Amino acid sequence: HPGYFGKKGQRHLHLKRNQYFCPSINVDKLWTLVSGQTYEMAKERAKEGEKAKAVVIDCTKAGFFKVLGKGELPKIPVIVKAKLFSKIAEKRIKACLLYTSPSPRD
């Protein structure tokens, strides 16, 4: 049939799929990366108004490289580490009096 032979479509020469590997997690699921005991302890500290150390949530250790902005966060001090943040995620994290910091590159 016509159009069978020849070059068709866009081609990406020497395609390396691992360059585009970027698993993501939403803001509302961040606290699932730490244990329930850690979450409850941080929640109690936040209620008491203690100025204790913030909980560090390292998304890269859990296998997520990007944090997206869907959902809400509880008002608990936390440090979120990831390679990439969406604008909305960064805005929501800062709105909850929390902090973001990019992971150090090896």
Side-chain angles (χ1 to χ4, degrees):
H1 74 294
Y4 180 75
F5 295 104
K7 297 178 183 177
K8 292 178 262 328
Q10 289 182 330
R11 294 177 299 162
H12 188 294
L13 301 174
H14 194 62
L15 177 66
K16 297 177 278 191
R17 294 201 184 276
N18 60 342
Q19 289 182 326
Y20 307 108
F21 182 75
C22 188
S24 59
I25 188 168
N26 286 314
V27 164
D28 59 351
K29 302 290 182 192
L30 282 176
W31 280 102
T32 62
L33 300 180
V34 294
S35 67
Q37 184 181 6
T38 306
Y39 174 71
E40 292 300 324
M41 183 183 68
K43 196 170 159 184
E44 289 300 318
R45 269 197 256 140
K47 277 184 184 176
E48 294 168 7
E50 274 185 48
K51 297 225 175 195
K53 290 183 180 178
V55 177
V56 177
I57 299 176
D58 195 349
C59 297
T60 52
K61 277 189 179 176
F64 298 103
F65 298 156
K66 187 171 186 176
V67 178
L68 301 176
K70 179 185 169 198
E72 297 294 323
L73 276 173
K75 301 253 185 205
I76 300 172
V78 69
I79 297 171
V80 182
K81 289 187 176 185
K83 289 184 178 181
L84 303 166
F85 293 91
S86 69
K87 286 181 184 178
I88 297 171
E90 203 166 342
K91 182 179 122 187
R92 290 200 173 146
I93 290 170
K94 287 179 180 177
C96 289
L97 307 171
L98 310 177
Y99 312 98
T100 63
S101 72
S103 293
R105 301 219 173 167
D106 294 325

